[in-house]
């Protein structure tokens, strides 16, 4: 319960449905497929019309099967990209590389936390709670957002 893994749970239930008991909510699969086809069709129509707005399917797909708390960073990343693209002529895709590194770092941090929680449970250790956890989290979040904005620029600000 301490280490939730929504992606692993989703894929485990799919594997169990395909190769195990065969029970899979096919109505939900069909609804998801329909939403996917509709978004891809909308994106094609927007591209043909020459619109600068695009309907990307991946954020929607992630938003459907992951909790809201994990979808928020995708939304914030889109806002950062839009702001940097409009305020700077030299916007680039280096933010994607930075974001990939952040995702890899988050995965490694998750493994580290899993090891620490397992050790604490095996040896009966208490977890440490810092005062002001919310303030520390918000400060680190602001640092990450600033890093994304800076990484998205071709040249560092003077």
């Amino acid at each position: 319960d301490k280490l939730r893994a929504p992606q692993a749970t989703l894929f485990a239930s799919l594997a169990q449905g395909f190769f195990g008991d065969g029970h899979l909510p096919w109505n939900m699969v069909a609804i998801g497929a329909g939403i996917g086809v509709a978004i891809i069709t909308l994106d094609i129509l927007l591209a043909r019309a020459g619109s600068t707005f695009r309907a990307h399917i991946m954020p929607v797909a992630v938003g459907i099967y992951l909790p809201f708390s994990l979808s928020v960073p995708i939304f914030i990343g889109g806002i950062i990209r839009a702001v940097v693209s409009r305020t700077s002529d030299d916007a680039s895709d280096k933010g994607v590389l930075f974001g990939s590194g952040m995702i890899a770092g988050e995965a490694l941090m998750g493994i580290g936390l899993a090891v620490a929680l397992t050790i604490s449970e095996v040896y009966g250790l208490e977890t440490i709670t810092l005062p002001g956890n919310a303030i520390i989290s918000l400060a680190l979040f602001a640092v990450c957002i600033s890093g994304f904005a800076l990484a998205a620029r071709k040249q560092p600000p003077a």
Side-chain angles (χ1 to χ4, degrees), residues 44-99:
I44 291 170
L45 293 173
L46 288 169
R48 286 186 182 164
S51 174
T52 57
F53 178 80
R54 299 298 300 272
H56 298 285
I57 190 148
M58 198 60 193
V60 174
V62 169
I64 287 173
Y65 81 90
L66 287 180
F68 183 70
S69 62
L70 295 176
S71 301
V72 171
I74 294 172
F75 178 70
I76 291 173
I79 290 173
I80 292 170
R81 171 64 188 214
V83 168
V84 169
S85 294
R86 289 191 178 150
T87 60
S88 174
D89 291 334
D90 61 353
S92 71
D93 287 331
K94 288 194 285 184
V96 173
L97 182 60
F98 184 79

Side-chain angles (χ1 to χ4, degrees), residues 13-15 22 29 32 36-37 43 54 70 79 82 87-89 93 98 107-108 116 120 124 141-142 146 153:
S13 66
L14 287 174
V29 172
V37 168
D43 188 50
R54 299 298 300 272
L70 295 176
I79 290 173
T87 60
S88 174
D89 291 334
D93 287 331
F98 184 79
L108 292 173
S120 71
F141 187 65
S146 300
R153 297 177 182 265

